Amino acid sequence: MAGQFIMLPGVTAAAASGAPRISMNAPDSVAAKIATLKHVVSARTLTRDAVEGVVGRCRNTGLPLATKGTNKQYLALSEAGGKAALGLPGISGGRAALGLPVNSLTPSFTMVTTIFMSASDIALAGAGNFLGGIAPDDTYFAALLRWYGAGSSINPNMLAASTTTGQPITTANPGAGVWGIVVLDYNNDTRRISIALNQADTFASGVKATDFAPAANSYLEIGYHLGSESLREAKVGDVYTFSDSLLRTDMGKNQLKELVAALKTYYGI
């Protein structure tokens, strides 16, 4: 016998017990339309754990995120500039990071990250890490997004990106006490890496000498769990990753601009 579907206006079905709450904003809606969307990490959907530090899942795949490092319990959630933020208690916060699922790195990619920096971050003599590539043997092989403080002798007052641990492409830092949006794009066919701040029209870029070939089970992490040069006092709000270069096509470029525009509105930039 054929089944019958009945719709009752005004009636909403309840989610199963323990089901995660859906929390989607305007930037999420834009990102969800992009076919190459791979991972989404949002501070507002993470929870605090006294032992693990921070607990949560990728909002695109549902896969669990993993806290990393000997000081992983230091990972904390707070509010910065009116928005939820992931970070550490201070510049000496220690070895702690949030790992995305294994195989979260792809040969070509685009990453869009919202960051919040303090005056202490801007004045750093050394470097801190926002995004890094970690191999299965727990070695750091890609400085995907770092910043160098005003006191640095390498790239003072610069955000920097590289698919290796050296030869970074740089662009200026955002100011202290405000949110910024960093766009990082890499096309492995051309080996061109590009970085932009608060817009997606003009990029600083360069060509890497070798292909980017993450080993199986490598992963992307927010922060740096292998040393004290993690997030320092900086915070991260939302991270969107895509499994191909959005700068590769005109459609991708337009989608990227739409996402950045939505994030600028959401974060008041």
Side-chain angles (χ1 to χ4, degrees):
M1 184 175 71
Q4 185 178 20
F5 179 81
I6 301 174
M7 179 177 289
L8 301 176
V11 176
T12 301
S17 177
R21 182 171 64 88
I22 296 174
S23 175
M24 180 171 278
N25 59 20
D28 292 339
S29 297
V30 174
K33 299 174 186 176
I34 303 175
T36 55
L37 180 65
K38 187 168 180 62
H39 292 296
V40 181
V41 178
S42 300
R44 70 183 186 278
T45 65
L46 302 175
T47 57
R48 182 79 172 90
D49 182 272
V51 177
E52 292 299 323
V54 164
V55 176
R57 291 179 177 272
C58 164
R59 299 181 58 230
N60 187 46
T61 64
L63 294 171
L65 307 171
T67 47
K68 303 284 185 176
T70 55
N71 300 131
K72 62 184 180 180
Q73 73 276 12
Y74 289 171
L75 276 179
L77 300 169
S78 61
E79 185 177 286
K83 299 298 180 184
L86 168 70
L88 289 164
I91 280 185
S92 60
R95 299 168 180 256
L98 186 63
L100 274 68
V102 295
N103 298 313
S104 46
L105 290 166
T106 52
S108 294
F109 59 79
T110 298
M111 299 177 185
V112 181
T113 308
T114 58
I115 63 173
F116 186 95
M117 298 179 70
S118 71
S120 297
D121 299 317
I122 300 296
L124 277 175
N129 290 271
F130 283 112
L131 301 174
I134 308 295
D137 63 357
D138 212 34
T139 56
Y140 177 77
F141 69 93
L144 295 168
L145 183 60
R146 311 185 81 193
W147 81 93
Y148 293 89
S152 171
S153 61
I154 304 174
N155 294 299
N157 288 319
M158 290 286 173
L159 287 162
S162 177
T163 53
T164 61
T165 56
Q167 300 175 320
I169 305 302
T170 60
T171 192
N173 265 331
V178 295
W179 282 99
I181 303 163
V182 184
V183 179
L184 175 62
D185 183 275
Y186 178 72
N187 182 334
N188 202 41
D189 293 334
T190 61
R191 295 178 183 159
R192 181 166 293 279
I193 185 168
S194 306
I195 184 172
L197 176 64
N198 293 336
Q199 45 84 32
D201 293 294
T202 304
F203 289 80
S205 67
V207 176
K208 300 296 292 181
T210 58
D211 289 347
F212 185 55
N217 295 325
S218 296
Y219 63 92
L220 175 70
E221 75 172 6
I222 301 171
Y224 179 67
H225 80 273
L226 298 173
S228 60
E229 305 85 14
S230 189
L231 290 171
R232 308 284 190 169
E233 290 187 359
K235 313 293 182 188
V236 173
D238 289 281
V239 177
Y240 301 88
T241 77
F242 303 87
S243 60
D244 199 0
S245 164
L246 290 178
L247 296 184
R248 186 190 296 273
T249 65
D250 288 340
M251 177 183 286
K253 292 174 184 176
N254 290 332
Q255 291 172 319
L256 182 57
K257 290 176 185 178
E258 186 180 357
L259 176 57
V260 171
L263 284 168
K264 289 179 72 172
T265 299
Y266 181 73
Y267 280 90
I269 299 171

